[in-house]
Amino acid sequence: MPEPIPIPPLFLERMSRFLDNEYPAFAESLTHDPVHGLRVNTLKLSADEFLKISPFPLGDKVAWCDSAFTLTPSPLPAEEGRGIREPGKHPYHLAGLYYLQDPSAMSAAELLGPRPGERVLDLAAAPGGKTTHIASLMQGLGLLVANEIKTKRLNHLVVNVERWGAANLVVTNETPERVADRFGAYFDRVIVDAPCSGEGMFRKDMRARLDWSEEMVAGCAVRQTNILRVAAHLVRPGGHLLYSTCTFAPEEDEAVIARFLQEHPDFEVEALPQLAGFMPGKPEWLSLTTAPFGGNKSTEHTKKSKKDSVDSGEDCPLRGAVRLFPHRLSGEGHFACLLQRKDGPADELTFPWRSAKIPTLEWKVWQAFREETLGVDFPSERLRMQGDRLYFVPENVPDLKGLRVTIPGVWLGNFKKERFEPAHPLAVFLRPGQARNVLALSSDSREMAAYFRGESLPSEGRPGWTLVTADGWPLGWGKRVQGVVKNHFPRGWQIYS
Ligand code: SAM
């Protein structure tokens, strides 16, 4: 067993300063295992329906997220196939029935409060925890843009988004500045789940413990301030901006918001509900740090300008933020603050994505495939061709020209001369009963395991494209030829589970 990486002593010393008489309970909570959570994909089934079919034990409902449960580690050892890791390997996971996520992280999308039909932007989206949650809350209606700046983090985002099966999602790979240049004040809601020092993840992420330093906290605060400044341009008048981190450091939380409010008089804090175990924002902690907006600790910082101080009185709007702590609730550390842009005349940005019509031959090929294989229609005005690929795009999607678009919608498949070959995202987008040819497997059968290994499966029936299901849940494609279903499950998909 490798030596556990110690929690940085300076971090503990800071926390004892901030938490005062709550510190012993906090320090004790750091000696416990992290809490795991499972959020049901309500685009596909309800939490109660999942409860009836759940293959592993579920704990309590998460108090601030109706569709989620805590996961209780099984008493059986992992080698018997029933350990806590199992939910990440189960066919239901690959079918997009749920997302595994720290319960505290589930607060952000709930507090953002997206509604069906709105325009929502997740500016820092990978690996897709908040994006998938927002997609479910929007019931697949409206437009959800999930942006990720780091190309190497895109794969996980794409896989998670594809198996979620939302019809209103676009993924872009851009800097916040370029997103702002393209869209302007277009969105009803924007979430900035900012890169941070990760103090709230210390129970589960050893790397975060290793990387942590006060300098890192200060560096993150600068980066967060810059991202939030750009995000402000993307919110329509009257719209909302949610800022969240998974760190306790007030330099990265309250101080970032305080600086933002100083620079943006057209925004104000909308107080969040103080739900079970939440703690309000703590502006007074800023005076216990050495950073701007506080810092009476070191002489270097004693001469502060008025600009660098925050009024931390009882009415301070920063108290409308929420802090989540592992000693107060079942989850890791998190911070969230909701800002609203004051109302005013909205920019009228209408730039619908008009793309060339689908050529006649491809249109016929697609129709033939659809009639033979699918029991569901896709409105023609939402179909777009890109190269030889066919996508089902969100309703009223704007023109995305000039942006690096990773996914413009649900990838339905590819035209190959006079054939149409369905893509994996179409399989996991389908709901039970929406395919004409089905190979129905039991999730714990040997055939299921063989399907994941890429093997062909003997199966009599109608030849052609066949949807492989796990207990009825669409999972991937096969093609039946002469009593054998050839395997079209994408290689490499399982590593993302
Ligand atoms: N929202 C994600 C989720 O729930 O799964 C987690 C987001 S993670 C906390 C922060 C993200 O910000 C990372 O994906 C990181 O690549 C991205 N990021 C890093 N630097 C950035 C920058 N300068 N601008 C925008 N995003 C950045």
Side-chain angles (χ1 to χ4, degrees):
M1 280 277 280
E3 283 281 300
I5 292 159
I7 293 183
L10 180 55
F11 160 78
L12 294 173
E13 190 269 311
R14 280 165 51 95
M15 293 308 291
S16 73
R17 232 187 293 153
F18 300 145
L19 283 168
D20 197 14
N21 56 12
E22 273 195 43
Y23 176 73
F26 170 73
E28 203 265 337
S29 74
L30 295 182
T31 64
H32 296 205
D33 285 339
V35 178
H36 298 267
L38 177 152
R39 182 167 43 73
V40 177
N41 183 357
T42 54
L43 292 173
K44 297 192 175 182
L45 76 175
S46 71
D48 288 341
E49 284 165 336
F50 185 76
L51 202 52
K52 287 186 200 136
I53 62 165
S54 177
F56 25 79
L58 296 175
D60 293 332
K61 266 236 172 122
V62 174
W64 47 91
C65 179
D66 263 1
S67 56
F69 303 88
T70 52
L71 274 174
T72 43
S74 162
L76 294 175
E79 57 270 24
E80 287 182 36
R82 290 177 169 279
I84 189 73
R85 286 168 56 245
E86 198 195 41
K89 294 183 166 177
H90 197 276
Y92 291 176
H93 191 229
L94 294 163
L97 299 197
Y98 55 81
Y99 192 95
L100 298 171
Q101 189 178 29
D102 156 32
S104 294
M106 298 173 192
S107 61
E110 294 286 340
L111 296 171
L112 175 70
R115 299 190 192 131
E118 288 186 332
R119 298 162 175 173
V120 181
L121 169 67
D122 184 348
L123 195 55
K130 273 105 193 167
T131 298
T132 53
H133 194 169
I134 294 167
S136 287
L137 293 171
M138 294 177 78
Q139 297 168 25
L141 301 170
L143 174 68
L144 172 54
V145 178
N147 180 67
E148 171 54 44
I149 190 172
K150 293 197 178 165
T151 309
K152 66 175 194 295
R153 287 175 61 91
L154 273 178
N155 262 0
H156 278 75
L157 175 63
V158 166
V159 169
N160 285 329
V161 157
E162 285 181 339
R163 71 172 155 225
W164 210 246
N168 64 336
L169 241 159
V170 164
V171 176
T172 56
N173 175 210
E174 279 299 352
T175 61
E177 287 80 2
R178 281 177 52 88
V179 178
D181 283 349
R182 186 72 194 95
F183 284 98
Y186 181 76
F187 293 97
D188 299 300
R189 289 170 211 268
V190 174
I191 178 169
V192 173
D193 186 34
C196 69
S197 59
E199 295 173 355
M201 294 291 117
F202 278 177
R203 292 201 299 194
K204 60 198 285 187
D205 184 354
M206 295 305 121
R207 184 82 235 171
R209 295 184 185 191
L210 261 184
D211 290 346
W212 188 91
S213 67
E214 263 192 329
E215 292 68 37
M216 185 208 196
V217 167
C220 286
V222 172
R223 185 158 56 157
Q224 291 149 351
T225 300
N226 291 338
I227 299 173
L228 205 55
R229 196 176 279 141
V230 178
H233 295 290
L234 286 150
V235 183
R236 70 155 172 84
H240 288 85
L241 171 58
L242 188 108
Y243 174 75
S244 64
T245 71
C246 59
T247 198
F248 305 116
E251 297 94 324
E252 299 179 59
D253 295 337
E254 286 85 352
V256 171
I257 301 294
R259 197 171 298 121
F260 178 86
L261 291 171
Q262 265 188 0
E263 289 179 12
H264 298 89
D266 53 334
F267 278 83
E268 53 194 25
V269 173
E270 187 170 305
L272 289 169
Q274 298 294 331
L275 304 171
F278 289 14
M279 183 193 277
K282 289 284 175 187
E284 61 271 34
W285 288 4
L286 293 174
S287 63
L288 303 174
T289 71
T290 54
F293 289 112
N296 56 8
K297 191 184 152 228
S298 88
T299 47
E300 202 186 314
H301 291 89
T302 45
K303 282 195 194 148
K304 296 243 164 257
S305 68
K306 194 156 173 264
K307 194 166 157 279
D308 273 354
S309 69
V310 167
D311 169 17
S312 59
E314 277 313 302
D315 294 339
C316 174
L318 297 175
R319 296 194 187 286
V322 293
R323 294 179 150 274
L324 281 68
F325 283 90
H327 66 287
R328 288 176 150 241
L329 43 76
S330 241
E332 306 310 296
H334 225 74
F335 171 88
C337 184
L338 185 63
L339 300 151
Q340 184 175 25
R341 187 168 169 197
K342 287 179 194 147
D343 237 332
D347 296 344
E348 208 30 76
L349 289 164
T350 43
F351 42 101
W353 185 11
R354 297 184 210 288
S355 80
K357 272 184 83 176
I358 298 171
T360 314
L361 173 65
E362 278 79 3
W363 182 251
K364 280 189 185 155
V365 167
W366 158 248
Q367 287 302 333
F369 167 82
R370 195 187 58 72
E371 277 163 27
E372 194 183 315
T373 318
L374 306 178
V376 59
D377 203 1
F378 290 87
S380 59
E381 68 278 8
R382 288 177 61 185
L383 296 177
R384 299 281 188 283
M385 252 184 96
Q386 280 201 355
D388 64 353
R389 291 183 173 200
L390 186 67
Y391 287 96
F392 180 50
V393 301
E395 210 171 357
N396 303 322
V397 69
D399 191 344
L400 302 169
K401 256 189 220 109
L403 289 177
R404 279 208 295 217
V405 179
T406 310
I407 307 182
V410 180
W411 179 21
L412 300 179
N414 290 25
F415 293 103
K416 301 222 160 154
K417 293 198 177 138
E418 296 189 7
R419 290 182 297 113
F420 185 80
E421 192 162 290
H424 186 73
L426 169 60
V428 272
F429 178 75
L430 294 174
R431 308 304 192 245
Q434 290 186 337
R436 299 198 196 284
N437 246 4
V438 171
L439 172 58
L441 302 178
S442 157
S443 61
D444 54 9
S445 64
R446 280 197 200 170
E447 288 83 358
M448 188 88 269
Y451 180 65
F452 287 137
R453 285 197 300 271
E455 293 172 21
S456 296
L457 299 170
S459 161
E460 293 301 335
R462 222 175 65 154
W465 287 106
T466 301
L467 187 68
V468 179
T469 62
D471 307 332
W473 292 102
L475 196 63
W477 292 110
K479 195 170 187 185
R480 194 182 276 123
V481 183
Q482 295 175 346
V484 171
V485 168
K486 295 201 173 146
N487 199 308
H488 283 260
F489 190 77
R491 279 166 209 267
W493 249 59
Q494 265 196 303
I495 60 164
Y496 294 109
S497 62

